[in-house]
Amino acid sequence: MTRVRTLEHIADVRRRPGVQRPVVRTFPAEVFGPIGTSSATVPPDGEIALDGTLEATGLDIVLTGVATAPWEGECRRCLRPVTGTIEVDLQEIFSNHPVEGETWPVDNDSIDLGPVLHDAVLLTLPLVPLCADDCAGPDPERFPTRVEGSDAPDDDADDAPAAPAGDPRWAALDDLRFD
Ligand SMILES: [Zn+2]
């Protein structure tokens, strides 16, 4: 039954090709089932919102808009709880003859926004949630934001020539040149 709640009727859109008809809807996140990765999840009591338009183009229906969803997770460095909101730009095509992975189905003059929003939100969840961009972790000594000396070009420059003699990659080049 949950899928029914994400259906959008489009008979009126079909009757007026080329006209953008607003589609503004809000769904309880639980309607979509669990949406999450090992890094972040959409809380089931949150809401996923769609603010967009539908337009008939030829035989297809084009959905353009923005979806927003809350997420929660743990900071990758200090493991403190982190929450946020993602915004996803949508440009999706619905077709009577959908192509797997490219277009979505039209069924009886309605489209199902559920799988579209589910996938779009899932793919946009942060892979590396941070409580702050410069979070130093629970122990700054263990998780320095910058490895000491890593960006000092003068370090070790004399001891480590960039292309030591005998490097097989250069040998191959020599063969090419003097063949
Ligand atoms: Zn943190």
Side-chain angles (χ1 to χ4, degrees), residues 3-177:
R3 290 174 71 83
V4 172
R5 302 172 67 178
T6 54
L7 290 183
E8 176 77 17
H9 295 283
I10 51 140
D12 62 311
V13 178
R14 281 225 190 279
R15 278 195 294 269
R16 302 173 67 202
V19 175
Q20 294 186 336
R21 193 264 273 164
V23 50
V24 179
R25 299 187 60 179
T26 303
F27 305 99
E30 61 182 2
V31 165
F32 302 89
I35 305 180
T37 67
S38 58
S39 308
T41 57
V42 177
D45 59 350
E47 286 188 330
I48 295 181
L50 168 66
D51 186 350
T53 59
L54 289 168
E55 178 179 345
T57 305
L59 294 174
D60 295 334
I61 303 292
V62 179
L63 166 66
T64 310
V66 177
T68 53
W71 62 269
E72 58 189 17
E74 277 181 347
C75 174
R76 265 300 169 86
R77 294 184 191 148
C78 71
L79 302 184
R80 269 195 292 257
V82 198
T83 61
T85 304
I86 51 166
E87 269 193 20
V88 196
D89 286 328
L90 295 173
Q91 184 144 39
E92 308 288 340
I93 297 173
F94 297 81
S95 165
N96 286 324
H97 305 286
V99 177
E100 177 77 33
E102 290 182 28
T103 53
W104 304 92
V106 176
D107 190 20
N108 288 326
D109 271 343
S110 65
I111 59 176
D112 191 353
L113 299 169
V116 178
L117 292 173
H118 174 278
D119 288 8
V121 169
L122 179 62
L123 291 172
T124 312
L125 287 173
L127 293 174
V128 184
L130 295 176
C131 65
D133 283 342
D134 59 352
C135 171
D139 179 355
E141 296 290 306
R142 260 184 79 205
F143 298 97
T145 52
R146 176 177 296 172
V147 178
E148 217 169 300
S150 68
D151 57 351
D154 287 336
D155 259 25
D156 302 323
D158 297 333
D159 320 319
D167 185 320
R169 288 168 297 181
W170 294 106
L173 262 185
D174 289 344
D175 288 346
L176 273 179
R177 281 180 195 153

